[in-house]
Amino acid sequence: IMLLYRKNCNGGNGMYTSISNFIEEWNQEAASTQKVLDALTDESLQQKVSAEDRSLGAIAWHIVSSTPGMLIEFGVTVESVQNENSVPTSAREIAETFRNVSANTSKAIGEQWTDETLAEMKNVFGMELQKAATLNMLIKHIVHHRGQMTVLMRQAGLQVPGIYGPSREEWSKMGMEAPSI
């Protein structure tokens, strides 16, 4: 994971020039992630691509439990998720925990960082990054894993909510055919 971030965030200043800009984007991406988490069922949490890969529940829980851990690494004071190393068997518990983590993320960044602190350098996971880049990393992290989850949701027979556009089922609800390409 860190090699991916090193490649994509290598010393860049990220895209955020204001805390409000980050919070706005975080709230949008977290809401999309929440839609995906809310669509999970207890049964679907066991879905895997292969025996060697994480289950849908493990990926979902990784998003939830690693967000506070990343913030702490970035120098933000937040509470860690209880039992972060044990994937819940309840999809609702995962979704509700993310709801709290998401709100805590916006609140903590808004209270603890300023527009000026975004330019400060921070050693994060062995890389020197501007704080603005760490926030970009946080967003990319949930988007990346959310994409993995949607594939596993399809395999588990769940309806996938539209994120950046309508899902296959949402096209038909609008009276249109989903694009084939």
Side-chain angles (χ1 to χ4, degrees):
I1 293 175
M2 290 308 110
L3 290 176
L4 173 70
Y5 292 135
R6 189 180 313 264
K7 180 179 175 189
N8 292 325
C9 298
N10 190 18
N13 66 359
M15 59 188 288
Y16 303 106
T17 56
S18 73
I19 295 298
S20 63
N21 182 254
F22 164 74
I23 290 173
E24 180 181 346
E25 186 167 11
W26 171 261
N27 289 341
Q28 289 172 354
E29 294 300 339
S32 293
T33 301
Q34 191 68 59
K35 283 184 356 183
V36 170
L37 293 171
D38 287 340
L40 300 178
T41 63
D42 294 350
E43 299 76 31
S44 71
L45 298 180
Q46 300 306 312
Q47 183 67 44
K48 289 184 174 187
V49 170
S50 74
E52 294 83 33
D53 294 303
R54 289 179 181 166
S55 68
L56 178 55
I59 295 170
W61 191 242
H62 173 71
I63 291 172
V64 174
S65 63
S66 67
T67 297
M70 290 178 75
L71 290 169
I72 291 166
E73 177 75 13
F74 302 163
V76 178
T77 302
V78 292
E79 277 189 49
S80 295
V81 171
Q82 291 183 353
N83 303 315
E84 64 184 285
N85 294 319
S86 179
V87 178
T89 57
S90 164
R92 182 176 179 164
E93 180 182 343
I94 294 170
E96 288 303 316
T97 304
F98 184 74
R99 194 169 271 105
N100 293 329
V101 163
S102 173
N104 290 342
T105 298
S106 296
K107 184 176 189 285
I109 294 292
E111 290 176 353
Q112 296 174 40
W113 285 10
T114 65
D115 294 350
E116 292 74 31
T117 62
L118 291 174
E120 292 175 3
M121 298 301 288
K122 175 81 175 141
N123 187 302
V124 176
F125 305 117
M127 299 176 285
E128 285 295 321
L129 299 173
Q130 285 188 330
K131 287 184 174 181
T134 65
L135 297 179
N136 192 22
M137 182 188 300
L138 186 68
I139 296 273
K140 286 180 178 180
H141 184 253
I142 68 168
V143 170
H144 164 71
H145 289 302
R146 185 177 68 214
Q148 291 176 319
M149 289 176 56
T150 61
V151 172
L152 289 169
M153 290 171 71
R154 283 274 182 227
Q155 291 179 330
L158 299 179
Q159 184 171 328
V160 175
I163 302 298
Y164 299 121
S167 68
R168 182 179 67 230
E169 296 85 358
E170 291 170 340
W171 279 100
S172 64
K173 288 179 185 175
M174 297 185 307
M176 301 172 72
E177 194 170 312
S180 60
I181 296 179

